[in-house]
Amino acid sequence: AQKVTQAQTEISVVEKEDVTLDCVYETRDTTYYLFWYKQPPSGELVFLIRRNSFDEQNEISGRYSWNFQKSTSSFNFTITASQVVDSAVYFCALSEAGYSTLTFGKGTMLLVSP
Amino acid sequence: GAVVSQHPSRVICKSGTSVKIECRSLDFQATTMFWYRQFPKQSLMLMATSNEGSKATYEQGVEKDKFLINHASLTLSTLTVTSAHPEDSSFYICSASRKQGSTEAFFGQGTRLTVV
């Protein structure tokens, strides 16, 4: 069975601080995909990244970066120089190869104050 | 990019009535669509998987007669909440996949249902 754990329920930072959102996953599959989504107060899910299990290269996209470590089953997400607009709930999710259903973590609410 | 449109975005209905939520893939054919439910401040939980032209597959604990899912075409899936009760109030969100076996899924904007 798959499981995604986001231990941080809520994080509060002040603008311009860096913040890391943790994600730990469990799966028995050797091929799987990991995702991060942002859910602003309006509710829609904004896709941020998808990473397959064979690609452990870290990725950077602007102020966002992701650290994938299979050895610790973690896929952490860092926002550099956070901004108020980054305030949202962030979900980490996992899917098995060949399936489009996602198993979501419980989400981390990020509050960035001015 | 692939666009999935969900309608309505918000709906308020009276207890005992039924409400239909539509999920449309606007620029691609969605072989498979998924319906998730999100309680306030909770994660998204998969309710059911629908494949065009066949019966939906419901997750354990989801009432089939309560949550009717129809996937009549490759671009439209509907979720009907029948005889709604206040405990059905929730955020419902759909996702669509271009083909079976694809791990790429595109989400709609979600529907916030309030039953009064």
Side-chain angles (χ1 to χ4, degrees), chain B residues 72-91:
Chain B
S73 77
L74 283 171
T75 58
L76 174 65
S77 175
T78 59
L79 167 66
T80 302
V81 183
T82 62
S83 187
H85 289 269
E87 56 264 32
D88 298 326
S89 298
S90 193
F91 187 69

Side-chain angles (χ1 to χ4, degrees), chain A residues 18-32:
Chain A
D18 298 347
V19 58
T20 295
L21 283 60
D22 298 332
C23 174
V24 175
Y25 62 91
E26 293 176 30
T27 178
R28 291 180 181 175
D29 294 326
T30 54
T31 303
Y32 51 89

Side-chain angles (χ1 to χ4, degrees), chain A residues 21-83:
Chain A
L21 283 60
D22 298 332
C23 174
V24 175
Y25 62 91
E26 293 176 30
T27 178
R28 291 180 181 175
D29 294 326
T30 54
T31 303
Y32 51 89
Y33 291 80
L34 295 162
F35 301 77
W36 274 96
Y37 286 89
K38 174 182 179 180
Q39 187 178 43
S42 51
E44 77 273 20
L45 283 178
V46 178
F47 170 82
L48 296 178
I49 190 171
R50 179 179 78 156
R51 174 55 54 83
N52 76 56
S53 53
F54 296 108
D55 183 4
E56 283 194 74
Q57 239 182 346
N58 291 332
E59 182 158 339
I60 298 175
S61 176
R63 295 184 297 108
Y64 296 167
S65 62
W66 291 269
N67 185 323
F68 177 28
Q69 293 198 348
K70 285 179 80 170
S71 60
T72 54
S73 297
S74 65
F75 187 44
N76 297 337
F77 172 35
T78 298
I79 301 175
T80 304
S82 59
Q83 300 176 1

Side-chain angles (χ1 to χ4, degrees), chain A residues 33 35 37 39 41-45 50 91 95-102 104-106, chain B residues 34 36 38 42-44 46 49 91 93 97 99-105 107-109 112:
Chain A
Y33 291 80
F35 301 77
Y37 286 89
Q39 187 178 43
S42 51
E44 77 273 20
L45 283 178
R50 179 179 78 156
F91 289 98
S95 75
E96 297 172 332
Y99 294 93
S100 307
T101 57
L102 300 179
F104 285 86
K106 292 190 174 181
Chain B
F34 308 89
Y36 292 83
Q38 184 181 27
Q42 298 284 319
S43 187
L44 289 85
L46 180 67
T49 302
F91 187 69
I93 191 163
S97 176
K99 59 180 180 179
Q100 282 185 335
S102 170
T103 54
E104 201 168 30
F107 284 87
Q109 307 94 315
R112 195 165 301 281

